[in-house]
Structures are given as structure tokens and as C-alpha cells.
């Protein structure tokens, strides 16, 4: 049973709620994702694509994205605005380094999310030379599970190869992200030890949300009992202090707030985070459904959209319906993450309710 919120935690949540209201009012852009391609060299069972994108969708030309950056630059502090390149799999493009160098020359720190299939020493060195600042690599468990999960017999070895390179890079910020499922759940303690043995210092764990391919594969969902045990596992691992682990930005977690993450939950999509998708759509983050898109760079000004759009992201009264209508946690949760809403703007899953 989920414990009741302590008075101290409620006071913390109230303070954080007021701070979040100020962040909404100011809506300073801090992170911009670029979905540079929807091509991928893996076929992951849990891919969160809405399945409307196909591999024939062309990559966005680099010059089109850089026009967005040049429009944005007078309105932000580039040194404090992180650009994250993703996909698909970004490294299937051969101009990632060119993009990174152009961002670096304009003062922007940049990072990447990758499955590491194409991340060898030569490619890593070329990206570091172009100013790469951060990297996130997916590794979901031991070899048999990871290869099956990612749909490629080489995926585990390639990811581990990349990790062994990154351990040697003292100036690069990087972490490993792992998807917890009902299948690999019991092996997570042993997998934690394996990551520590590799030299991994930062580890993020998330659970599958029902979208894309994961919508119909129920085996990928952890049970409610496993979900509670996952929170306890993260709490205990954080207390150990041998590897810094945190739970992903899935939603409000009641009494586990600040116990499994470094800060209280709030959805920063459309508040501090935006994305430019491969077709030019302007969104909050790449996992959010298309009916929440706010415009398109090929017909709208990105800066105008950022300043004047995103109202449903920033003002969430519309979400107080259904299972959220009478929930006393809504004032803190505001209806969960935007990526958990369907095309009819109904919440598909509540993390807090699962823990109860």
C-alpha cells in the first residue's frame, strides 16, 4: 500500500507547485529535441512510435533545423539551452557531426540518444571533436533479453562496447537507460551489479507506456505489484550509493516523490522542453501524440509557437476529468505526463493509482 504523504513532503510539494507555476509563466526553453530521422537499425518491441511514421519518411535536412536554431538564438542563452539529437537512430545519418559542430559554433551544448549500434571509436572521436557534451545509451538487460527486446543479435555487444569506451571519457556526461518489463524484472538486481562492474555511474530506469508497438504487447508491462517493488528497488539502490539510479519522468508517485528521483515530479514538456519532429512538427517531446502538436516549422515561426502556443501543456485544467476529476493529488500531478494521453485527450495510465 502506498504510504500517505508526510507533512514535510506535502509542504515540499506545495513549494514546488508554486515554483512550477512560475516556470510555466516564464517558460524558458532549456531543452530542444531534434528528431532528425525516423530511420532505425533496430526493431524494438516497445518502440513508442504512433505507427503512423514509416521508414520512407525522409530525414529532415540539416539546414532546415539550423534555420530554427538561428531564429531561436536571439531569444535564449545558447550556453544554457541543450540540444538533443535523436530519432529513430540518429547515427544512421552521416551529418550528425556537422550538425554538432554548427551547434557548438553557435554556443549550444548538444547531446544524443543512441542505441550504440554504430558507435565505434572513430565515430565517438568525431563527435567529441564536434563538441559532444552528453550521451544516453539504451541497455535493457543481459544479452539474451536485450537482443530479443531490440531485435538484433549484435545489439548487446555493441552497447557494451560503447559503454567501455565512455568509461574512459572523463569530460563527457553520459548515462544508461533501461526499460523494466515483466520479463527482465527479476534480473534487475543482478543487472545492477553488472552495470557497476562495467563502471557505469548513472542509470535511469523506466517502464513501458502503452503506445506504438507496446500498446498490444502486454508482456512488456510490469504488474502493479512489480511496479511497487521497482520503486523499492530504486530507493534501496539510491541508499547504497554505488550507482546513481533514478526513475524516468513517467508521472507522479505519491510518497515515492524525491525518493526515486532527485526532484518532485512535473511534466516539463511545453514548459522548458520542446521538440522539432522529422516532418517539421513542433511538439513538447517526441513521445507525445500528434494531436498535441503546436505547429510546424515549415509554416510557422518556432519562436512565436513557443511563446504563444503550448497552452494545453502549460495550463492543465482540461485534464481534470475521468480518474483525475476527484483525485486530491491533481494539484501536484496535473494529470500526469502529456505522453500518456491518447488522441481523445484521455489519460491511459496513472502511476499514482498503480501504486495505490
Amino acid at each position: 500500500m502506498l504510504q500517505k504523504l508526510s507533512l514535510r513532503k506535502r509542504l515540499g510539494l506545495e513549494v514546488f507547485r508554486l515554483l512550477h507555476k512560475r516556470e510555466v509563466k516564464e517558460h524558458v526553453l532549456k531543452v530542444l529535441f531534434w528528431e532528425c530521422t525516423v530511420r532505425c537499425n533496430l526493431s524494438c518491441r516497445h518502440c513508442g512510435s504512433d505507427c503512423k511514421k514509416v521508414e520512407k519518411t525522409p530525414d529532415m535536412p540539416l539546414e532546415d533545423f539550423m534555420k530554427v536554431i538561428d531564429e531561436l538564438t536571439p531569444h535564449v542563452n545558447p550556453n544554457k539551452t541543450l540540444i538533443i539529437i535523436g530519432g529513430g537512430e540518429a547515427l544512421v545519418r552521416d551529418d550528425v557531426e556537422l550538425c554538432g559542430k554548427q551547434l557548438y559554433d553557435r554556443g549550444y551544448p548538444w547531446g544524443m540518444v543512441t542505441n550504440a549500434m554504430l558507435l565505434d571509436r572513430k565515430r565517438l572521436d568525431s563527435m567529441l571533436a564536434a563538441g559532444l557534451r552528453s550521451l544516453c545509451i539504451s541497455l535493457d538487460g543481459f544479452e539474451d533479453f536485450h537482443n530479443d527486446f531490440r531485435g538484433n543479435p549484435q545489439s548487446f555487444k555493441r552497447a557494451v562496447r560503447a559503454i567501455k569506451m565512455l568509461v574512459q571519457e572523463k569530460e563527457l556526461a553520459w548515462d544508461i537507460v533501461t526499460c523494466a518489463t515483466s520479463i527482465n524484472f527479476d534480473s534487475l538486481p543482478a543487472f545492477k551489479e553488472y552495470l557497476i562492474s562495467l563502471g557505469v555511474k548513472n542509470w535511469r530506469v523506466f517502464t513501458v507506456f502503452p503506445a506504438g508497438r507496446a500498446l498490444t504487447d502486454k508482456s512488456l508491462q510490469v504488474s502493479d505489484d512489480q511496479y511497487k517493488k521497482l520503486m523499492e528497488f530504486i530507493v534501496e539502490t539510491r541508499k547504497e550509493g554505488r550507482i546513481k539510479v533514478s526513475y524516468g519522468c513517467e508521472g507522479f508517485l505519491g510518497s515515492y516523490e524525491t525518493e526515486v528521483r532527485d526532484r518532485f515530479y512535473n511534466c516539463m514538456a511545453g514548459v522548458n522542453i520542446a521538440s522539432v519532429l522529422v516532418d517539421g512538427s513542433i511538439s513538447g517531446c517526441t513521445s507525445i501524440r500528434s494531436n498535441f502538436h503546436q505547429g510546424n516549422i515549415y509554416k510557422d515561426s518556432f519562436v512565436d509557437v513557443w511563446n504563444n502556443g503550448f497552452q494545453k501543456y502549460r495550463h492543465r485544467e482540461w485534464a481534470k476529468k475521468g480518474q483525475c476529476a476527484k483525485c486530491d493529488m491533481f494539484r501536484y500531478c496535473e494529470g500526469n505526463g502529456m505522453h500518456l494521453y491518447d488522441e481523445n485527450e484521455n489519460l491511459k495510465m496513472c502511476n499514482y493509482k498503480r501504486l495505490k
Side-chain angles (χ1 to χ4, degrees), residues 259-277:
E259 306 296 326
V260 296
R261 291 183 290 238
D262 291 343
R263 55 180 280 168
F264 289 111
Y265 167 78
N266 56 3
C267 181
M268 301 309 294
V271 178
N272 295 141
I273 298 173
S275 64
V276 174
L277 305 185

Side-chain angles (χ1 to χ4, degrees), residues 231-271:
M231 297 300 109
E232 292 295 329
F233 168 72
I234 294 174
V235 169
E236 292 304 313
T237 300
R238 287 168 68 90
K239 288 179 180 178
E240 289 174 359
R242 295 188 298 140
I243 185 171
K244 184 176 181 180
V245 62
S246 61
Y247 183 58
C249 55
E250 293 299 301
F252 181 75
L253 301 170
S255 61
Y256 286 108
E257 286 298 309
T258 69
E259 306 296 326
V260 296
R261 291 183 290 238
D262 291 343
R263 55 180 280 168
F264 289 111
Y265 167 78
N266 56 3
C267 181
M268 301 309 294
V271 178

Side-chain angles (χ1 to χ4, degrees), residues 29 31-35 48-50 53 84 87 113 209 249-250 265-279 281-294 302 306 310 313 336-341:
L29 183 63
V31 180
L32 177 62
F33 287 89
W34 180 33
E35 184 186 54
S49 167
D50 64 9
K53 296 173 182 174
I84 299 179
V113 179
F209 61 93
C249 55
E250 293 299 301
Y265 167 78
N266 56 3
C267 181
M268 301 309 294
V271 178
N272 295 141
I273 298 173
S275 64
V276 174
L277 305 185
V278 71
D279 63 354
S281 296
I282 302 169
S283 186
C285 76
T286 57
S287 298
I288 295 172
R289 295 191 67 88
S290 59
N291 53 309
F292 288 105
H293 293 173
Q294 299 297 293
F302 178 88
W306 178 253
F310 290 97
Y313 290 76
N336 233 304
M338 292 288 288
H339 67 291
L340 294 176
Y341 283 83

Side-chain angles (χ1 to χ4, degrees), residues 198-223:
L198 288 177
V200 174
K201 302 296 184 184
N202 297 289
W203 183 29
R204 277 184 293 151
V205 179
F206 70 99
T207 45
V208 176
F209 61 93
R213 294 174 189 156
L215 184 62
T216 56
D217 191 343
K218 302 301 182 184
S219 70
L220 300 183
Q221 301 286 335
V222 295
S223 67

Side-chain angles (χ1 to χ4, degrees), residues 75-107:
H75 304 277
V76 298
N77 181 344
N79 298 153
K80 296 182 179 180
T81 310
L82 175 64
I83 311 299
I84 299 179
I85 304 173
E89 169 52 43
L91 289 179
V92 301
R93 291 183 62 139
D94 59 10
D95 61 352
V96 169
E97 292 89 340
L98 178 59
C99 175
K101 182 62 166 61
Q102 292 188 22
L103 292 170
Y104 179 79
D105 289 345
R106 288 162 170 80

Side-chain angles (χ1 to χ4, degrees), residues 53-219:
K53 296 173 182 174
V54 294
E55 199 169 88
K56 293 180 181 179
T57 302
D59 297 350
M60 177 181 286
L62 173 57
E63 56 268 25
D64 293 355
F65 179 64
M66 293 311 301
K67 288 178 182 178
V68 174
I69 295 298
D70 287 337
E71 180 198 355
L72 181 64
T73 298
H75 304 277
V76 298
N77 181 344
N79 298 153
K80 296 182 179 180
T81 310
L82 175 64
I83 311 299
I84 299 179
I85 304 173
E89 169 52 43
L91 289 179
V92 301
R93 291 183 62 139
D94 59 10
D95 61 352
V96 169
E97 292 89 340
L98 178 59
C99 175
K101 182 62 166 61
Q102 292 188 22
L103 292 170
Y104 179 79
D105 289 345
R106 288 162 170 80
Y108 289 92
W110 67 279
M112 178 182 294
V113 179
T114 178
N115 59 36
M117 287 291 290
L118 298 174
L119 188 60
D120 56 16
R121 186 71 249 180
K122 181 179 180 181
R123 196 76 196 267
L124 178 59
D125 285 343
S126 67
M127 290 194 296
L128 289 171
L132 178 71
R133 294 283 298 276
S134 65
L135 200 61
C136 176
I137 292 179
S138 299
L139 188 64
D140 298 297
F142 292 111
E143 189 164 8
D144 287 347
F145 173 77
H146 180 82
N147 287 344
D148 176 71
F149 195 55
R150 297 283 169 175
N152 188 296
Q154 295 298 314
S155 58
F156 179 84
K157 290 181 179 178
R158 298 285 179 87
V160 171
R161 177 185 67 178
I163 291 170
K164 290 179 177 178
M165 289 190 297
L166 294 178
V167 169
Q168 307 303 317
E169 300 298 331
K170 305 305 180 184
E171 302 300 320
L172 184 67
W174 61 277
D175 66 353
I176 300 303
V177 62
T178 296
C179 180
T181 74
S182 63
I183 306 169
N184 70 343
F185 179 81
D186 291 336
S187 67
L188 287 177
F191 187 61
K192 174 193 72 175
E193 298 298 330
Y194 177 67
L195 291 179
I196 293 172
S197 74
L198 288 177
V200 174
K201 302 296 184 184
N202 297 289
W203 183 29
R204 277 184 293 151
V205 179
F206 70 99
T207 45
V208 176
F209 61 93
R213 294 174 189 156
L215 184 62
T216 56
D217 191 343
K218 302 301 182 184
S219 70

Side-chain angles (χ1 to χ4, degrees), residues 1-43:
M1 181 69 69
L2 184 66
Q3 295 180 354
K4 291 184 177 181
L5 289 175
S6 66
L7 177 59
R8 181 177 181 180
K9 193 156 288 187
R10 278 191 178 271
L11 290 174
L13 282 165
E14 288 294 337
V15 171
F16 191 75
R17 186 174 71 90
L18 295 176
L19 291 173
H20 180 64
K21 285 184 177 295
R22 187 173 70 184
E23 286 188 310
V24 167
K25 182 178 180 180
E26 296 174 350
H27 53 267
V28 176
L29 183 63
K30 296 179 180 179
V31 180
L32 177 62
F33 287 89
W34 180 33
E35 184 186 54
C36 67
T37 182
V38 291
R39 292 184 292 137
C40 190
N41 46 15
L42 293 181
S43 180

